[in-house]
Amino acid sequence: MFRPKIPTMPTPTGIVTPPAVEPTAIVQHTPAPAPAPAPVSDAPAAWARPTVQLTPGTALALVGGGTAVVLVVGAVLVSMLLAAAVTAASVAVCALVVRSLIASEHKRR
């Protein structure tokens, strides 16, 4: 039951089939001309980066996503605060009950 199952290999037949070889055409490409060096200037490298364009649809999606994140995080934080409050209230009730039991024990003596 706990021994590994090792797959058995089929017995070799001695017949080996060569892989199919397809002829390939040799095409020589001329190398592309080297790009001209960029002019040296005081402009920052940020000019070379593509700009991000916000369309009304993407802006609305970003606002909706941000709102959803804020609502989810808020719900989690409120539920954690509620759990702490319920725990504190139950501990306070337990402390009052224990205090009452101890006080009634002292009055009986």
Side-chain angles (χ1 to χ4, degrees):
M1 181 170 134
F2 293 109
R3 293 185 184 166
K5 295 186 185 334
I6 301 172
T8 59
M9 297 295 291
T11 58
T13 60
I15 302 172
V16 179
T17 57
V21 178
E22 295 182 16
T24 57
I26 299 174
V27 179
Q28 289 187 349
H29 295 283
T30 58
V40 178
S41 65
D42 294 333
W47 290 100
R49 285 186 267 162
T51 58
V52 177
Q53 295 181 2
L54 287 177
T55 62
T58 57
L60 187 62
L62 285 175
V63 169
T67 303
V69 168
V70 167
L71 288 177
V72 168
V73 170
V76 168
L77 292 177
V78 167
S79 64
M80 289 173 63
L81 181 63
L82 183 62
V86 168
T87 303
S90 64
V91 168
V93 168
C94 289
L96 287 176
V97 169
V98 169
R99 181 177 162 189
S100 172
L101 290 174
I102 291 174
S104 66
E105 185 69 28
H106 284 298
K107 287 183 181 178
R108 288 185 193 166
R109 289 184 183 181

